[in-house]
Every structure is written in C-alpha cells, then in structure tokens.
Amino acid sequence: MSSLTRDDVAHLAVLARIDLSEAELDRMVGELDVILGAVAKVQQAPIDGVAPMSHPLPLTNVTRPDVVRPSLTPDEALSGAPEVEEQRFSVPRILTED
Amino acid sequence: MTTASMTTDEVMDYDEAIARFDPVMGLEVHVELSTETKMFCGCATAFGAPPNSQVCPVCLGLPGALPVVNATAVESAMRIGLALNCEIAEWCRFARKNYFYPDMPKNFQTSQYDEPIAFDGHLDVQLDDGSTYRIEIERAHMEEDTGKSLHIGGATGRIHGADHSLVDYNRAGIPLIEIVTKPIVGAGERAPEVARAYVSALRDLMRALDVSDVKMEQGSMRCDANVSLRPRVGDDHSGPEQLAVPLGTRTETKNVNSLRSVERAVRYEISRHAAILAGGGSILQETRHWHEDTGVTTSGREKSDAEDYRYFPEPDLVPVAPPRETVEALRATLPEPPAERRRRLQTEWGYSDLEMRDVVNAGAVELIEETAALGTSAQAARKWWLGEPSRRANAAAQDLVTYAAGLGFTPGDVAELEAMVKAGRLNDSMARQVLDGVLDGEGHPVEVADARGLELVQDDAALEAAIDEVIAANPDVAEKIRGGKVQAAGALIGQVMKAMKGQADAGKARQLILDKLQ
C-alpha cells in the first residue's frame, strides 16, 4: 500500500472544495494515511477466483413501470433548506465554474 | 454580457487553417428522454412546471432514499443503441460520477462508466451535396439530468459576479442518453458541416424513434463538441499518412444549442486552435463556452484539476442484463431509418433534390406525407406548406410542426384548400387569401372562403361579357394578338380579372380571349 503524498491530499481538498491550511494539510496526510492503512487490511482477503461484486444480491433488471407517482409539495421539498428564494434552494455563490 | 465573452482570441482564416492543419472531432450529444417519469423515481418530467414541484426524496438526494430504474427509459436506451447500429450489452451497471456542485444534490450523478448499455455503432449522415459520411459511435449510455441553477447578482444570470444561486431540481433525475462518437477523422474542411449533419441526423433519428422531444432550444438535446488539430501530412485529409499522425490536444465546447451553432462553434475552434499552434503556442485542454450572440468561445474551467470523478459501481442499483429475446423484439420495433425514408418519399413524390432539401429543412416531411395521404398531390402539398405557413413559422421562430400544432392548422386544412382549387371554386390568388384567413384563426378553409365570399364566378356569360368589353377598349392589343403575339394576352387577362374583382379563373379567361381573337 503506497502512502498518500501531501500533493494527493491537496488535490483531494480542491476536489472536495475544502480549504486546508498548510498545517492542516500536514496533519491530514498523517491521519488519512492511518485510515487508508486500516482499510487496506481488506487487501489481505483471499479473493482468487472471486469476481468483483457491486451488490450483495444476485439480482438483475429490477425496474418500475414509467408511471407518475406523487411528488413532494414544493413546501415539503424546501422545508429542510437553510434558505429559500423564489421557491428555489438558495445556495452560496459557486466558485469558479459555470 | 460578461467581460469574458468580449475577449477576442486571435483566429486564423479558415481556409488557411485547413491547409495547414487536420481537424479531428469528437461529439457528445445528450438526449433527454420523453418518458413520463424520471430515471430513478416516479416524479413527473413535464417541462415548465413550477420550481421544485416535481421532486421527491430520491431526486433530492435525501438520506435513505433508494432509486429504482425506469423500465421505459432502459427500453428507449436500447432502441437508440440499436438504431445507431450498436451492440447491446449483455450485462451492465450504473456508476456514480462524483462531483460537488449544487445542481446535483446527491453530490454524484448516476451514470454509466466502463459498461455502457450500447457500444460500437455507426450512423451514416448525408451532407449537403448528397454524399454520405459514416460517423462511428463509441457508446450510448444512460444517465440522469441535473437541476437548473439561476445565478443571482451577476450581470446576466451567469456565474460571473453572482453572489448566490437558486436551484430548481425539477430537471434533476430526468433520463438522459449520452451518445459519444469515436474520433471523427478525414473530414478536412467539411468538419463543421459533418458535425452539423451528424447532430441533425441524430435529431431526426430520435424523432423517428419517438423517444425524445429533441428540442435544442429547450435543452432536450445538447451537443458538446471536442475539437483538436494535428499537422497536415500528405495530400489528403483521409490519407494513411495523415491518419497516422497523433491527435493534438482537444478542447470541449459546451452550450451549443442549435444545429447552426454546432457548425459555427466547430469552425471557430478550428480557426482559434490554428492561430495558437501557428504562433508556436500550445492548446490548453479545457472546457470552452460557446456564445451564440458573438460567435466566439471563451474559456471555462480547465479540465485537468476537475477530471477526477472517482467513478465506482452504483451500489443502490442492480445490473441491467437485457435478455437477447428482448433486444431482438426491440430491434423489430425500429422505424425505417430517416435517410432511407427520405429517399423513398422523394421518389414517391417526384421531388427534385432541391425541392426535397427545402422540404426537409422546413421540417415539412411528415406534414406533406399526411397531406398527400388525404389525396392532395405532393407538389400541391409542398407548395402550400412551404408558402405562408413556413414564412409565419419562421417569423415566430418556431419549427413548422410546432407552429401548425399551436394554431390547430392541420394537413386536413391543406387538403381542403387544395380540393377547392381543384374543384374550380378558388383560383390561386383566392386560395392564398383563404390560407391567410385560416392562419389568422378565422376557421377552416371552406368556412373562410364562405365567410369572405370567395368563389370563382362560374358564370361564363359574365366572363365573356367582361372579355368583350376589355377587347373593345383595347383594339390595338387585340390587333397584336390577332397578328400572332399571343403573349400580349396577359395585359387583357389582367384587366378581365380586375373587372371580375379577381373572382374569375384566369386560365379560362386566357383561353376565351385567344378563342375570340384567333
């Protein structure tokens, strides 16, 4: 298990939109490494001849008919939003993208 | 307008760019399916509903909500794949595409990654000169649309300068099919035309399959155009030496929302890349935004830092494994391919290439087909549909079908109008007046003709009397006709028609004049 570099953590921070200070970056490299180390134990599992699995049940083609079901009301939908404007979710300015 | 869209990049003259570089394209088209409900929940998909009125815990990404796949959407995806001559996966999964942006409340988009439902196809598209270009299809996969953001505080609703955004999740979760081409090579100077022809052919195909509204102006069909240039080698853009040259760095232009824009945006990017490369610069791999108003692209985000979507198989959904019988049953439902259908109809209707192209460009193929089915000749159907109705649809910036539907103007009306002409009740100019009345909402053709009192005078005696008067009043013209100058009859016909207040059959008047003077 290769360990995480400081650059990796900085890159993850950018992707996750988390602003980390230099000191926090240093600390996170160590902490994330410990977590990855713990998770890496699964790599010791004997998996020869075992196909990768993304779902615990051997099911396929579970679908529903294309029939409209009741939605939430706008009030219900917006009830958990910290801020609402014009019946829409109000969110902080998005960084640099369009 | 933002300051960004006013910056003007240097561009090279297009012909020079093509002489020095070989363009390669990749086109990604998103098609919004016209299912009743969303991809993974039972919320309605109606366009234009009040904000956040078609949302539920699943499409809002609330904790614990579980998605279930829309059976019709999967079926549509497979029909699209089959119509694009693709293989249909025997087994495939959905995947999470992780990113942080408020238009996707789950913080991931449910999509497909390395297991698309359809792959390895092709679509033959027709170019303006009648030649055919084969576009190779890499894949068509299922995913979901995102919510719509409104940026508040910026100059024109764009992100630049905005201080907050308002999000409506009605669109979040609507089924999308993303269709991705393999690199389109060898098109040379025709690359922009090929791009437009491809998107146009896709649109026709989706309509024929009846799986999407494909309204580019409403966003139910969207195109991202990847363009790169490589140095020219050899005489031919599709020659083996040229094809062996490695691809250059590409840019991806988004926000291309009309067929014309597809062509313009590709052309612009070719000229822009060429200027940079010729100046010794290098292309930045990035997203570009197309500006319809100014006809330029501007830089969006750089791709390199945001490309890491950390895809993984969606654990809340089970695999899609369509039985082969199902695939074959769906194959049997495919409509006649639009290009073949067009060739067949052109032969049936006896149209010239130019006439057929006008009809196709006007979006009148189906309308004429329905009109002809009611017994109207194809030439008459073409004449009426491409006349005033097309002119008014253009003026209203609508396609002909939408315009006619909005008005309740049907093939039946056109057939009724032409039937009156054939029966000798209306002459051409009267029929045009009736058509105006119908399009003004005065009723069906017979009603309008009745209400306006438009009817050819069938009374031959009245017509003959008018002709005699006109001949008597114009002895010199009459003499010319007697002397064999038949074309002089036009002057007399005009006066006869005027005397008859336009309500006479001009052809008949001509015949009577000639009979009398020869």
Side-chain angles (χ1 to χ4, degrees):
Chain A
M1 181 71 204
S2 65
S3 62
L4 216 54
T5 68
R6 199 169 181 285
D7 283 348
D8 290 335
V9 178
H11 177 62
L12 287 173
V14 169
L15 290 177
R17 297 277 162 75
I18 299 170
D19 197 9
L20 293 181
S21 67
E22 295 299 311
E24 284 171 321
L25 268 181
D26 289 333
R27 201 179 83 225
M28 282 300 152
V29 174
E31 288 189 8
L32 284 175
D33 235 11
V34 171
I35 293 169
L36 286 180
V39 175
K41 287 213 165 60
V42 301
Q43 293 191 326
Q44 294 163 14
I47 53 162
D48 281 353
V50 179
M53 181 182 76
S54 59
H55 199 276
L57 301 175
L59 294 172
T60 57
N61 300 328
V62 177
T63 59
R64 63 180 169 80
D66 184 27
V67 176
V68 175
R69 296 176 57 172
S71 296
L72 298 174
T73 65
D75 283 348
E76 287 169 335
L78 293 159
S79 62
E83 278 186 61
V84 173
E85 198 178 317
E86 296 176 26
Q87 205 170 299
R88 293 169 170 89
F89 293 83
S90 177
V91 299
R93 183 189 124 109
I94 303 140
L95 299 176
T96 51
E97 295 172 14
D98 195 347
Chain B
M1 190 185 294
T2 63
T3 47
S5 63
M6 288 192 294
T7 56
T8 42
D9 289 289
E10 213 178 304
V11 292
M12 182 185 285
D13 171 73
Y14 184 75
D15 292 335
E16 190 188 345
I18 292 297
R20 296 176 61 176
F21 298 98
D22 177 52
V24 177
M25 300 184 290
L27 299 170
E28 296 169 19
V29 173
H30 286 87
V31 174
E32 215 177 67
L33 296 181
S34 51
T35 49
E36 296 295 319
T37 68
K38 293 187 179 181
M39 186 77 217
F40 303 113
C41 63
C43 287
T45 55
F47 183 80
N52 294 301
S53 62
Q54 297 176 163
V55 294
C56 75
V58 173
C59 53
L60 286 176
L62 298 186
L66 285 174
V68 187
V69 171
N70 182 336
T72 303
V74 177
E75 200 177 284
S76 295
M78 290 192 279
R79 292 181 73 233
I80 290 171
L82 290 168
L84 291 170
N85 305 291
C86 286
E87 303 290 320
I88 302 300
E90 296 194 9
W91 190 90
C92 65
R93 290 178 295 188
F94 288 95
R96 291 188 180 184
K97 179 181 181 181
N98 296 279
Y99 68 98
F100 294 93
Y101 199 69
D103 65 5
M104 224 34 203
K106 299 185 292 189
N107 279 343
F108 61 84
Q109 179 189 34
T110 307
S111 179
Q112 293 193 288
Y113 183 47
D114 49 358
E115 298 165 6
I117 184 133
F119 52 92
D120 287 350
H122 63 262
L123 182 64
D124 289 332
V125 305
Q126 238 190 333
L127 303 183
D128 282 345
D129 66 356
S131 64
T132 298
Y133 193 95
R134 173 162 293 192
I135 305 285
E136 302 287 343
I137 305 292
E138 171 89 28
R139 55 188 279 156
H141 71 252
M142 301 179 279
E143 57 182 36
E144 58 181 333
D145 213 340
T146 60
K148 259 188 190 158
S149 306
L150 207 66
H151 303 302
I152 304 297
T156 54
R158 293 182 64 80
I159 187 85
H160 188 80
D163 49 39
H164 64 293
S165 302
L166 303 180
V167 195
D168 167 14
Y169 290 115
N170 281 350
R171 199 181 64 181
I174 291 185
L176 285 183
I177 305 299
E178 179 175 341
I179 301 162
V180 183
T181 66
K182 291 184 175 152
I184 300 169
V185 297
E189 78 280 3
R190 306 188 76 173
E193 184 196 346
V194 167
R196 173 175 53 74
Y198 167 66
V199 177
S200 171
L202 266 189
R203 192 178 65 167
D204 291 345
L205 189 61
M206 297 304 133
R207 279 202 188 124
L209 288 164
D210 196 20
V211 292
S212 170
D213 298 338
V214 284
K215 290 184 179 157
M216 293 190 84
E217 71 284 1
Q218 285 184 5
S220 55
M221 181 169 180
R222 316 195 273 272
C223 177
D224 300 338
N226 291 279
V227 172
S228 67
L229 297 186
R230 52 185 173 184
R232 281 286 274 117
V233 178
D235 299 330
D236 184 359
H237 281 280
S238 52
E241 308 99 314
Q242 182 65 72
L243 297 182
V245 177
L247 302 185
T249 304
R250 69 189 161 90
T251 54
E252 180 179 11
T253 301
K254 292 191 177 279
N255 198 28
V256 191
N257 292 329
S258 69
L259 292 178
R260 189 165 160 264
S261 296
V262 172
E263 183 163 2
R264 289 172 72 207
V266 167
R267 195 180 166 95
Y268 176 84
E269 277 298 281
I270 289 172
S271 289
R272 191 183 67 84
H273 282 212
I276 293 172
L277 295 171
S282 55
I283 304 296
L284 189 63
Q285 183 172 338
E286 62 177 353
T287 302
R288 307 281 302 179
H289 290 289
W290 170 249
H291 302 274
E292 179 74 52
D293 48 354
T294 48
V296 303
T297 65
T298 56
S299 176
R301 63 180 139 85
E302 286 177 39
K303 274 227 142 177
S304 50
D305 69 333
E307 191 71 313
D308 189 352
Y309 291 121
R310 289 155 295 139
Y311 282 97
F312 63 85
E314 165 59 83
D316 288 341
L317 292 167
V318 301
V320 175
R324 294 300 98 179
E325 314 81 79
T326 307
V327 172
E328 290 317 307
L330 288 173
R331 197 190 299 278
T333 71
L334 294 183
E336 181 183 12
E340 278 175 36
R341 184 176 126 83
R342 244 173 243 159
R343 276 192 291 276
R344 175 176 60 78
L345 289 174
Q346 185 181 346
T347 309
E348 268 175 34
W349 293 344
Y351 287 179
S352 68
D353 288 349
L354 186 65
E355 286 172 338
M356 193 64 194
R357 194 183 311 157
D358 286 346
V359 163
V360 168
N361 290 342
V365 174
E366 283 72 26
L367 294 167
I368 289 174
E369 191 178 26
E370 288 173 43
T371 309
L374 296 170
T376 305
S377 77
Q379 286 297 353
R382 186 182 62 81
K383 178 181 86 173
W384 293 123
W385 279 110
L386 263 52
E388 190 62 13
S390 286
R391 201 191 59 73
R392 292 196 188 199
N394 267 338
Q398 284 182 322
D399 65 79
L400 186 57
V401 172
T402 309
Y403 170 77
L407 219 59
F409 179 66
T410 65
D413 288 323
V414 173
E416 189 176 311
L417 182 70
E418 177 62 16
M420 282 195 284
V421 174
K422 280 195 83 175
R425 174 171 174 181
L426 300 179
N427 62 20
D428 193 68
S429 94
M430 293 161 86
R432 285 175 202 278
Q433 292 176 52
V434 169
L435 182 58
D436 280 342
V438 175
L439 297 175
D440 286 339
E442 292 171 22
H444 295 293
V446 171
E447 292 165 4
V448 174
D450 288 347
R452 292 192 175 194
L454 289 167
E455 177 148 22
L456 276 182
V457 174
Q458 302 289 352
D459 182 353
D460 286 356
L463 183 58
E464 286 202 43
I467 289 171
D468 289 342
E469 267 178 46
V470 169
I471 289 175
N474 297 277
D476 46 337
V477 180
E479 203 46 51
K480 279 186 192 163
I481 297 172
R482 281 196 190 93
K485 289 194 115 187
V486 176
Q487 65 270 33
L492 299 187
I493 295 168
Q495 291 189 42
V496 169
M497 293 303 284
K498 197 173 168 192
M500 299 293 290
K501 299 190 168 60
Q503 307 209 341
D505 182 336
K508 197 170 190 178
R510 178 187 170 81
Q511 196 51 55
L512 285 172
I513 290 170
L514 294 181
D515 286 350
K516 281 176 190 290
L517 296 177
Q518 287 181 323

